Amino acid sequence: MSKRLYIQEVATRDGFQIEPEFVPTESKVALIDQLSRTGLAKIEVTSFTSPKAIPNLRDAEEVMRSITRVAGVDYTVLVPNVKGCERALACQVDEVNLVMSASDTHGLANLRMTPAQSLVQFREIIEVSRGSGVFINASLSTAFGCPFEGEVADSRVYDLIQRLLDIDVQGITLCDTTGMADPAHVSRICSEALQRWPQATFTAHFHNTRGMGLANALAALNAGIERFDASLGGLGGCPYAPGASGNICTEDLVHMLQRMGLNTGVDLDALLSTAARLPQLLGHDVPGAILKAGKADKRYPKPKWMTADNA
Amino acid sequence: MSKRLYIQEVATRDGFQIEPEFVPTESKVALIDQLSRTGLAKIEVTSFTSPKAIPNLRDAEEVMRSITRVAGVDYTVLVPNVKGCERALACQVDEVNLVMSASDTHGLANLRMTPAQSLVQFREIIEVSRGSGVFINASLSTAFGCPFEGEVADSRVYDLIQRLLDIDVQGITLCDTTGMADPAHVSRICSEALQRWPQATFTAHFHNTRGMGLANALAALNAGIERFDASLGGLGGCPYAPGASGNICTEDLVHMLQRMGLNTGVDLDALLSTAARLPQLLGHDVPGAILKAGKADKRYPKPKWMTADNA
């Protein structure tokens, strides 16, 4: 078996934050507990943002404290500021995920901060977490393009990666927030990042807005990326990024990687059973393909007339 | 600019054949005429099958004779037997596309012929077309897996390719009829085929049933494939292949390839204008992503509060 790939689930944060209806706390906990037993490497449980900003995740503490943690799974949370980090640390998270944009306009629209301002704040957050042993990840939104500004220069992305590592960020997630990346762009950025900073832990985070989600994941994989964010059922989006739509779908990604003979550590059938609960839980259909089509090893019975002819 | 890739449109055959409603002849002709002016390399116009088998394409002759052909575009038709080939030749097609399955059960279910029986019939069809100058293409269905039998051995695919070339087939389309292929499988088969038979013209034909359509196209591209079948709007399926769903979407494929800096020869905006007519023409939504999301270079205005703050 090949080297293990790491599949990181973001549905209960990136997905649930934009659901039209609040998902009941006990349903969130039940879903996360199911996910914990599927072999996922990491689960982004919730976001310690202001309940006013993201009312759907106003139960962050209760969810974090109610889930049953499974050894080998990292539980991470999105943290927008020092206060959020303090709340997260009080819940003994394994990781905090800081978020900033690569582009000024998306940063201002989404976080009311330019990248430079985000970096100042990150330093304060990292000070607060020092000594806690918590892993520091930073998600770099619009790393492959900004819906307001368009192209984001590669050099800007590399500069921000260096600045993040300079302030002791350990993991960096390269986010294609609104599905603007293409496989050539992904290949270029990921190859360069892995080559320049072999000590850093990179994750690729794609949205399937323009149908290229799994093609981009393939390009990242071929470039050497081992960690992938994905969202159960293909839920997701960004409340402050127009045109954003669902993340790449976890079960579709795992299905593709497993068909390729790669080791994801994930029990795909368990993952599919969990994903199958989403339409009822959320009251709407979800974009994932495998839930609808079945796995590629699904067999159909021969047409009736063929067996009848032989009778 | 890099070497040109060839985008081959199949919507009016692979797509329209399974539409619940007959598409009026004049609408088919108008759509094909629009497509002819977008820079596509080839258009699979219709199918010369029995009107009883595929009533939606019962106007094959009228469509072929009414379209305005554009120099540089190859007009091909699906031909199931000698009679179909004679009808096609009478319409001065540029190419006939013969179709067979790689697997016995799908062959029997779809065509009532095993691969061996199809090859016998192909010989007769090729005899009929000899001297006409028409290009002979063969589409090998279920080359990446059969919905009834499951795995199709690579060796069986290679054996059938050799047998097709032995009887003077010039082009071979490797079809993932029900979306069972994964990028590793595609890479393996396509690389081997291109290496063994450099004189043959290979096309890759994928369906997006399991979300891997564009990832498979990327894998085929990386293996050296230059010709891709795709369907406007992502229409398509197979009337006798359970679980089949739409082909990869032409405008989504062209968008991805162009973003990668590759030369498709296609005017994407013209293609999108044409695709935009489909929902009204067919009375239902179509799966394509770019029609909904817009191209990756789409720009959104800044949030109102941001511009208001500056006022």
Side-chain angles (χ1 to χ4, degrees), chain B residues 137-216:
Chain B
N137 192 78
S139 282
L140 194 55
S141 296
T142 67
F144 299 93
C146 169
F148 306 113
E149 297 179 17
E151 217 174 288
V152 171
D154 294 10
S155 58
R156 175 179 266 252
V157 173
Y158 302 140
D159 178 60
L160 291 171
I161 293 171
Q162 184 61 59
R163 283 166 191 268
L164 288 167
L165 296 174
D166 285 346
I167 58 172
D168 296 337
V169 165
Q170 295 157 283
I172 295 177
T173 303
L174 299 167
C175 300
D176 180 30
T177 310
T178 61
M180 293 173 65
D182 66 76
H185 194 170
V186 168
S187 179
R188 192 174 75 231
I189 296 271
C190 292
S191 300
E192 181 79 14
L194 288 167
Q195 198 218 311
R196 280 207 209 176
W197 297 284
Q199 78 284 12
T201 301
F202 286 103
T203 290
H205 175 111
F206 299 118
H207 285 249
N208 196 34
T209 319
R210 292 177 174 89
M212 293 182 281
L214 291 188
N216 286 334

Side-chain angles (χ1 to χ4, degrees), chain A residues 217-231:
Chain A
L218 178 66
L221 177 78
N222 288 341
I225 292 287
E226 297 173 3
R227 290 166 195 275
F228 296 88
D229 280 355
S231 176

Side-chain angles (χ1 to χ4, degrees), chain B residues 25-189:
Chain B
T25 306
E26 61 273 21
S27 301
K28 285 174 180 151
V29 171
L31 190 78
I32 293 163
D33 284 350
Q34 274 202 297
L35 288 169
S36 286
R37 295 187 298 266
T38 60
L40 291 162
K42 195 194 282 187
I43 299 174
E44 188 160 304
V45 174
T46 186
S47 177
F48 282 92
T49 37
S50 147
K52 273 181 212 147
I54 313 270
N56 275 359
L57 304 182
R58 62 180 182 259
D59 54 3
E61 269 87 358
E62 200 182 341
V63 171
M64 263 313 297
R65 288 184 174 139
S66 305
I67 56 173
T68 304
R69 301 205 200 176
V70 169
V73 181
D74 286 330
Y75 296 88
T76 183
V77 295
L78 191 146
V79 153
N81 49 35
V82 168
K83 191 180 168 204
C85 184
E86 288 166 344
R87 291 168 61 200
L89 294 175
C91 294
Q92 278 87 45
V93 298
D94 297 310
E95 174 187 299
V96 289
N97 184 23
L98 318 186
V99 61
M100 65 178 287
S101 287
S103 60
D104 290 4
T105 312
H106 182 262
L108 289 166
N110 191 27
L111 309 160
R112 308 216 172 193
M113 276 184 281
T114 61
Q117 291 171 320
S118 286
L119 285 167
V120 171
Q121 200 199 40
F122 280 14
R123 251 185 246 116
E124 297 166 15
I125 297 173
I126 291 165
E127 271 318 304
V128 164
S129 72
R130 206 162 308 269
S132 67
V134 161
F135 188 89
I136 309 289
N137 192 78
S139 282
L140 194 55
S141 296
T142 67
F144 299 93
C146 169
F148 306 113
E149 297 179 17
E151 217 174 288
V152 171
D154 294 10
S155 58
R156 175 179 266 252
V157 173
Y158 302 140
D159 178 60
L160 291 171
I161 293 171
Q162 184 61 59
R163 283 166 191 268
L164 288 167
L165 296 174
D166 285 346
I167 58 172
D168 296 337
V169 165
Q170 295 157 283
I172 295 177
T173 303
L174 299 167
C175 300
D176 180 30
T177 310
T178 61
M180 293 173 65
D182 66 76
H185 194 170
V186 168
S187 179
R188 192 174 75 231
I189 296 271

Side-chain angles (χ1 to χ4, degrees), chain B residues 9-12 15-16 31 35 40 230-236 247-251 270-278 282 286-288 291:
Chain B
E9 178 57 49
V10 302
T12 57
F16 285 2
L31 190 78
L35 288 169
L40 291 162
S231 176
L232 198 72
L235 299 179
N247 292 73
I248 58 170
C249 170
T250 313
E251 63 271 21
L271 196 65
L272 281 165
S273 303
T274 311
R277 299 179 53 202
L278 288 176
L282 304 175
V286 296
L291 263 189

Side-chain angles (χ1 to χ4, degrees), chain A residues 155-203:
Chain A
S155 57
R156 175 178 266 253
V157 173
Y158 302 140
D159 179 59
L160 291 171
I161 292 172
Q162 184 61 60
R163 284 165 190 269
L164 288 167
L165 296 174
D166 286 345
I167 58 171
D168 297 337
V169 164
Q170 296 157 283
I172 295 177
T173 303
L174 299 168
C175 301
D176 180 30
T177 310
T178 61
M180 293 173 66
D182 67 76
H185 193 171
V186 168
S187 179
R188 191 175 75 231
I189 296 271
C190 292
S191 300
E192 181 79 15
L194 289 167
Q195 198 218 311
R196 280 207 209 177
W197 298 284
Q199 77 284 14
T201 301
F202 287 103
T203 290

Side-chain angles (χ1 to χ4, degrees), chain A residues 20 30 37 50 56 60 66 70 85 144 147 153 188 191 197 215 238 241 307 309:
Chain A
R37 295 188 296 267
S50 148
N56 275 359
S66 305
V70 169
C85 185
F144 299 93
R188 191 175 75 231
S191 300
W197 298 284
C238 174
T307 41
D309 277 358

